[in-house]
Amino acid sequence: MYSSKPDTYERYNDGQAPFVENAVTGVPVSSSSEYDESSQSQPAVFGIHQPKVRVPWSSGLFDCFSDVRNCCTTFWCPCITFGQVAEIVDKGSSSCAANGALYTLICCVIGCPCFYSCFYRSKMRQQYTLEESLCGDCMVHCCCEPCALCQEHRELQNRGYDMTIGWHGNVERRNREAIMVPKPPAVQEGMSR
């Protein structure tokens, strides 16, 4: 059906929109044509996220003895190290005690807590854009669970977290430090002519 104006028409409910030149679509478009061979610049690509550059871990997987205290704790009671790492990675939404207890329960029932802890390694790698090892997170935890937990613990320590006070303690500490930072004195401008 056509409207009273000869240049336009009414749209039926068939789901097809009329073709309109220079229609506003809400998608940003560059002013130059992307197929124009005279311009040497690359066309703008919208909506495509460039992959983030992955950074290496601050310590190696087998650098366990660089922190002997954590190495001994992880060897004798890995649930403590895992609980501390999981609390920081979860940003305080779960406690160290709850994660450590769940880790211990999985260890006692199934015997393979690495299936649980490898998910936290993946989550931590995503948060801090860390490189993945060649064999993957699950294989790292399955083959060398204590070394993987020690590496994650050291990584968080090297990023400034005090693992003994948990997420909320670290947040409070950083807030106190931010308040106590002295502001530089205001500089008065010199004389003007």
Side-chain angles (χ1 to χ4, degrees), residues 119-138:
F119 292 113
Y120 278 92
R121 185 177 182 89
S122 298
K123 189 173 180 179
M124 183 176 164
R125 275 191 326 92
Q126 293 299 320
Q127 284 179 358
Y128 298 112
T129 60
L130 295 166
E131 292 177 344
E132 184 176 8
S133 63
L134 297 174
C135 57
D137 296 331
C138 192

Side-chain angles (χ1 to χ4, degrees), residues 12 24 42 76 78 82 88 130 132 176:
Y12 284 101
V24 177
Q42 294 290 329
W76 294 108
F82 173 75
I88 300 294
L130 295 166
E132 184 176 8
R176 279 194 312 265

Side-chain angles (χ1 to χ4, degrees), residues 30-173:
S30 64
S31 60
S32 64
S33 171
E34 63 182 348
Y35 300 108
D36 184 36
E37 293 177 13
S38 63
S39 77
Q40 297 296 324
S41 64
Q42 294 290 329
V45 179
F46 298 101
I48 298 176
H49 298 287
Q50 297 295 330
K52 292 182 181 179
V53 177
R54 299 284 180 185
V55 296
W57 291 78
S58 62
S59 63
L61 182 62
F62 300 111
D63 292 340
C64 298
F65 294 110
S66 62
D67 184 0
V68 177
R69 182 177 180 184
N70 178 41
C71 180
C72 292
T73 302
T74 305
F75 182 75
W76 294 108
C77 196
C79 59
I80 294 173
T81 303
F82 173 75
Q84 291 173 342
V85 168
E87 181 179 1
I88 300 294
V89 171
D90 280 341
K91 297 182 179 177
S93 64
S94 61
S95 70
C96 173
N99 286 314
L102 185 57
Y103 182 90
T104 304
L105 181 68
I106 291 171
C107 185
C108 292
V109 173
I110 300 173
C112 293
C114 57
F115 295 124
Y116 179 53
S117 60
C118 71
F119 292 113
Y120 278 92
R121 185 177 182 89
S122 298
K123 189 173 180 179
M124 183 176 164
R125 275 191 326 92
Q126 293 299 320
Q127 284 179 358
Y128 298 112
T129 60
L130 295 166
E131 292 177 344
E132 184 176 8
S133 63
L134 297 174
C135 57
D137 296 331
C138 192
M139 286 302 295
V140 168
H141 272 269
C142 287
C143 295
C144 197
E145 175 81 359
C147 294
L149 290 174
C150 285
Q151 184 186 29
E152 294 160 13
H153 192 274
R154 284 190 312 274
E155 182 68 33
L156 292 172
Q157 276 184 330
N158 292 339
R159 290 182 179 270
Y161 291 103
D162 182 358
M163 302 301 285
T164 58
I165 61 175
W167 173 258
H168 298 293
N170 280 291
V171 169
E172 288 175 15
R173 186 186 74 185

